Amino acid sequence: AQSVTQPDIHITVSEGASLELRCNYSYGATPYLFWYVQSPGQGLQLLLKYFSGDTLVQGIKGFEAEFKRSQSSFNLRKPSVHWSDAAEYFCAVGGSGGSYIPTFGRGTSLIVHP
Amino acid sequence: EAQVTQNPRYLITVTGKKLTVTCSQNMNHEYMSWYRQDPGLGLRQIYYSMNVEVTDKGDVPEGYKVSRKEKRNFPLILESPSPNQTSLYFCASRKGLGDFETQYFGPGTRLLVL
């Protein structure tokens, strides 16, 4: 069975500081991996995805993520955080082996201090 | 503007009183799905539909029904709501089964069952 672990419930950073949100997954085959962002009162927006190829994936809003098969990780990074990045971030895993039902992590809440 | 709409956005009801949450998309997407979001649990898929008249259970279908009579609409039905169905519900659509990059989420429906 596929699963996703986001070990950090909350992350607090200062505006302008770098950010890394952790995501570990469990999946029996080559995974599809996603990061979504949910702003307060909003639905989810896809930040980036990994299906195959280059393990460093660029997304929207200046985010990137790196797929590391040996560590079963897909951590999200941003070099300089803006106050508008404060939101809930969800990592998800899915794949072609099943019915494409993605499994979501519990989410990490990002707090940005001025 | 491409969007997924849900109604109502907020709903308070009592145990056992049937309710329907509507979902509509204007992108001619084939694939639609319903999720519930609970604190500490992330998003869990309730039901999905690959096309008109084709629906299937997700990870947590108990207590819910869906129908897909038209391509654009995918209502979620709670025949006899119970307090454990108090949650935040999201409808989502995407072009096809594997087209995650085209996935849009609705704004969410917050349901309280007393």
Side-chain angles (χ1 to χ4, degrees):
Chain A
Q2 61 198 43
S3 66
V4 175
T5 301
Q6 292 181 247
D8 303 305
I9 298 176
H10 303 282
I11 290 278
T12 301
V13 299
S14 297
E15 192 169 15
S18 63
L19 170 71
E20 183 170 35
L21 301 182
R22 296 183 291 166
C23 173
N24 292 97
Y25 70 89
S26 173
Y27 192 75
T30 300
Y32 292 174
L33 294 159
F34 312 87
W35 274 101
Y36 288 89
V37 60
Q38 182 182 27
S39 298
Q42 302 295 314
L44 278 74
Q45 181 182 22
L46 180 66
L47 280 177
L48 49 79
K49 67 185 188 299
Y50 171 80
F51 283 5
S52 64
D54 193 346
T55 56
L56 185 62
V57 180
Q58 301 298 321
I60 62 171
K61 304 186 180 190
F63 285 91
E64 67 177 28
E66 187 171 12
F67 170 57
K68 293 185 177 180
R69 185 187 299 274
S70 61
Q71 299 176 19
S72 297
S73 68
F74 189 57
N75 295 347
L76 182 71
R77 301 194 293 250
K78 187 170 185 178
S80 178
V81 169
H82 188 262
W83 64 266
S84 60
D85 292 324
E88 190 90 15
Y89 290 81
F90 293 92
C91 182
V93 63
S96 59
S99 58
Y100 288 87
I101 297 177
T103 297
F104 284 80
R106 299 184 309 173
T108 297
S109 180
L110 175 63
I111 301 164
V112 180
H113 281 312
Chain B
E1 178 190 355
Q3 60 181 349
V4 177
T5 56
Q6 295 178 227
N7 282 292
R9 294 289 312 279
Y10 303 92
L11 179 60
I12 301 174
T13 189
V14 296
T15 298
K17 186 175 181 182
K18 180 179 178 180
L19 67 91
T20 299
V21 184
T22 65
C23 172
S24 182
Q25 51 94 3
N26 63 359
M27 295 163 280
N28 201 37
H29 284 170
E30 291 185 349
Y31 187 99
M32 297 185 73
S33 56
W34 276 102
Y35 294 86
R36 60 179 288 174
Q37 182 180 20
D38 302 291
L41 295 177
L43 277 80
R44 294 176 292 168
Q45 193 170 56
I46 303 170
Y47 267 95
Y48 66 96
S49 168
M50 300 222 290
N51 214 324
V52 175
E53 302 292 1
V54 181
T55 63
D56 207 347
K57 296 176 181 178
D59 293 326
V60 288
E62 294 78 20
Y64 304 94
K65 286 175 56 177
V66 293
S67 70
R68 187 92 181 272
K69 294 185 170 58
E70 306 164 284
K71 200 171 189 178
R72 63 182 295 124
N73 296 323
F74 190 45
L76 179 70
I77 304 156
L78 284 71
E79 293 270 1
S80 183
S82 62
N84 65 13
Q85 292 178 297
T86 292
S87 188
L88 177 59
Y89 292 88
F90 287 101
C91 180
S93 76
R94 59 184 191 254
K95 186 177 177 183
L97 183 60
D99 298 316
F100 289 99
E101 67 271 20
T102 67
Q103 180 149 277
Y104 283 78
F105 281 83
T109 294
R110 192 169 290 280
L111 171 65
L112 172 62
V113 183
L114 300 173

